[in-house]
Amino acid sequence: MISYWQGRCPISDISDTELLRASHIKPWKDCETDAERLDVHNGILLSALWDAAFDKGLVTFKDDGTPRFSSRLSAPAMSSLSGHSKRISGLTAGHKENLIWHRDQVFNP
């Protein structure tokens, strides 16, 4: 995933490897096969804060890569996330298919 996303979070541009997480769009427990679990199109390289928010359904992404935030976020969290974000470019059809799943199954508006 580091190679695919060129070693940086596509939202925040953070490139410190200690702060990056291979964030699965569809969690391992919900994948039907190992191939699905390891598919590069089932992941986004996110900074730790973005990864935590994404995993907990506090943020998701539209098909064009624009972040969509949950109303459950506190004002400071919303400020931190929205103030340091941009649209993800380079999403493939596979990413978009998995993001539809994420929006339907994980995201809590």
Side-chain angles (χ1 to χ4, degrees):
M1 208 159 315
I2 289 176
S3 176
Y4 183 88
W5 293 103
Q6 300 171 352
R8 62 186 342 95
C9 173
I11 304 156
S12 65
D13 284 331
I14 289 173
S15 61
D16 306 66
T17 55
E18 297 86 359
L19 298 176
L20 296 174
R21 306 289 180 267
S23 188
H24 291 85
I25 300 169
K26 188 174 185 181
W28 276 47
K29 67 180 179 64
D30 295 310
C31 293
E32 295 180 19
T33 66
D34 286 341
E36 188 178 15
R37 288 179 182 100
L38 299 173
D39 183 1
V40 71
H41 305 283
N42 184 34
I44 306 171
L45 188 65
L46 297 175
S47 66
L49 177 61
W50 278 94
D51 174 60
F54 187 70
D55 279 353
K56 297 297 183 184
L58 298 171
V59 67
T60 193
F61 301 96
K62 298 177 186 177
D63 283 348
D64 69 356
T66 303
R68 183 172 170 208
F69 301 100
S70 171
S71 61
R72 297 179 340 169
L73 282 168
S74 68
M78 174 69 87
S79 177
S80 182
L81 289 165
S82 65
H84 298 95
S85 68
K86 62 181 185 176
R87 186 180 67 81
I88 298 174
S89 60
L91 293 175
T92 65
H95 287 113
K96 292 174 186 179
E97 182 179 328
N98 286 312
L99 284 168
I100 289 169
W101 186 93
H102 187 269
R103 291 190 298 264
D104 291 343
Q105 301 297 318
V106 179
F107 183 61
N108 188 341

